[in-house]
């Protein structure tokens, strides 16, 4: 068999920067110590969640991935404006990169391959990423519904 893949698929990313780049999402440079802190936190959360239950819910997947949200808030402010498929690809690849072969990681990586789970995860994490944008939209709706003062 060939030593190199002739597949048209992109190679599996090995860093969070590659995950963002492969998904076409611009970001500020990621600091190595911050990335290592996030990886460690994700692995601890995955280990604890997988030990606590026989099955893992979407809420637990969200809990495990939440440290990535904080990192994205700092480094990729336009994340939520990327295409849904690109964001979902990022979540899957980022879980693969950050969780690696840590205890409990397999169940989370497997769940993120489920179309319903990845859609729910992306939607909810994007809401967390853009609370300010959501507030702005609410204020605009209120402003549009409020009659302008007469001059």
């Amino acid at each position: 068999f060939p030593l190199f893949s002739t597949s048209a698929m992109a190679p599996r990313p090995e860093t969070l920067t590659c995950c963002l780049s492969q998904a076409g999402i611009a970001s500020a440079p990621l600091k190595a110590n911050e990335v290592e802190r996030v990886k460690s936190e994700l692995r601890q959360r995955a280990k604890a969640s997988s030990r606590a239950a026989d099955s893992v819910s979407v809420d637990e997947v969200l809990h495990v991935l939440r440290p990535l949200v904080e990192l994205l808030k700092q480094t990729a402010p336009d994340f939520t404006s990327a295409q849904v498929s690109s964001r979902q690809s990022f979540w899957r690849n980022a879980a693969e990169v950050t969780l690696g072969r840590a205890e409990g990681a397999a169940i989370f990586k497997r769940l993120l391959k489920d179309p319903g789970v990845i859609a729910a995860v992306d939607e909810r994490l994007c809401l967390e990423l853009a609370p300010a944008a959501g507030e702005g939209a609410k204020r605009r709706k209120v402003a549009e519904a409020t009659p302008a003062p007469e001059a």
Side-chain angles (χ1 to χ4, degrees):
F1 65 98
L3 292 175
F4 300 100
S5 171
T6 55
S7 153
M9 288 178 44
R12 188 176 135 231
E14 295 181 8
T15 66
L16 284 177
T17 300
C18 289
C19 293
L20 286 163
S21 176
Q22 201 171 71
I25 299 167
S27 74
L30 302 178
K31 296 178 182 165
N33 61 337
E34 187 64 16
V35 170
E36 288 307 313
R37 185 193 63 73
V38 167
K39 280 183 178 181
S40 175
E41 192 170 343
L42 261 71
R43 289 174 181 173
Q44 289 171 358
R45 288 173 177 225
K47 185 176 178 178
S49 290
S50 68
R51 282 186 176 172
D54 292 333
S55 64
V56 174
S57 69
V58 170
D59 286 336
E60 288 166 312
V61 175
L62 292 167
H63 172 73
V64 168
L65 295 178
R66 199 153 280 123
L68 282 172
V69 171
E70 295 308 313
L71 186 65
L72 290 171
K73 282 180 182 178
Q74 299 166 22
T75 60
D78 295 331
F79 182 86
T80 56
S81 60
Q83 290 184 354
V84 172
S85 61
S86 295
R87 293 191 316 257
Q88 290 179 356
S89 173
F90 169 79
W91 295 123
R92 281 188 200 103
N93 289 335
E96 188 73 40
V97 166
T98 56
L99 294 173
R101 295 178 183 215
E103 183 180 336
I107 191 165
F108 291 97
K109 293 188 288 186
R110 187 171 52 252
L111 274 171
L112 288 169
K113 291 178 181 172
D114 178 286
V117 171
I118 192 66
V121 165
D122 178 60
E123 181 180 328
R124 298 214 1 227
L125 291 178
C126 281
L127 286 173
E128 290 181 29
L129 275 165
E135 289 300 314
K138 287 179 195 169
R139 283 193 295 272
R140 278 193 300 280
K141 281 184 181 179
V142 169
E144 290 168 3
T146 307
E150 294 183 24

